[in-house]
Amino acid sequence: MPKRLKKISEEVLHENPWWKYKHDRYILPNGKEGDYYYAETPGVCMIVPVLEDGRIVLTLQHRYLDDKQSIEFPAGGIKEEKDTTLAAQQELLEETGYSVEEMNKLAQFQPASGFVKDTT
């Protein structure tokens, strides 16, 4: 079984409306100390929209960091005060123009668990 790190401190280095950038200090089982830097968000949602005829709806997004376009499922961040389902419905409408009254939760995921802590 993997050994756990013992957190000894936590600080917020930067905060904006979408996420916090944090720094933790920890102790390894051998007593050595280390640093861990990561982002923390209120969560994300991703929608897999399937039309009545079985077609799947995707979006074309420009991704700033790669400076290229990407074909993706509709997705987005969740604000702290927002319900996950409502956030998913809003993202679907904003990114595709489609709206739904009913959604089925398929799974829960963390897309970048090594450096982003999503709290949903």
Side-chain angles (χ1 to χ4, degrees):
M1 172 173 240
K3 298 193 170 144
R4 298 180 71 129
L5 306 176
K6 180 181 178 189
K7 185 190 307 188
I8 54 176
S9 68
E10 175 182 303
E11 65 176 322
V12 175
L13 301 174
H14 175 78
E15 187 171 353
N16 63 49
W18 302 277
W19 54 275
K20 295 176 186 173
Y21 183 53
K22 298 177 93 174
H23 169 232
D24 290 359
R25 295 279 303 153
Y26 61 83
I27 298 177
L28 291 163
N30 65 7
K32 290 186 179 180
E33 291 188 16
D35 295 287
Y36 206 96
Y37 296 88
Y38 59 99
E40 183 175 80
T41 77
V44 296
C45 62
M46 177 183 286
I47 304 95
V48 181
V50 181
L51 300 177
E52 288 183 16
D53 63 6
R55 290 180 298 152
I56 296 173
V57 178
L58 298 169
T59 63
L60 182 63
Q61 303 279 357
H62 179 267
R63 292 298 171 194
Y64 173 80
L65 294 177
D66 293 329
D67 192 25
K68 67 179 184 176
Q69 294 197 338
S70 177
I71 298 172
E72 307 172 0
F73 287 113
I78 300 171
K79 293 193 169 107
E80 288 187 46
E81 69 279 355
K82 199 169 243 182
D83 173 81
T84 304
T85 301
L86 293 174
Q89 289 172 325
Q90 181 178 349
E91 286 297 328
L92 179 65
L93 182 61
E94 286 175 4
E95 294 187 7
T96 69
Y98 286 95
S99 63
V100 295
E101 292 180 17
E102 182 181 328
M103 298 186 98
N104 298 314
K105 183 175 181 178
L106 299 176
Q108 185 168 331
F109 73 104
Q110 287 186 289
S113 60
F115 59 91
V116 178
K117 181 180 179 182
D118 292 313
T119 56
T120 58

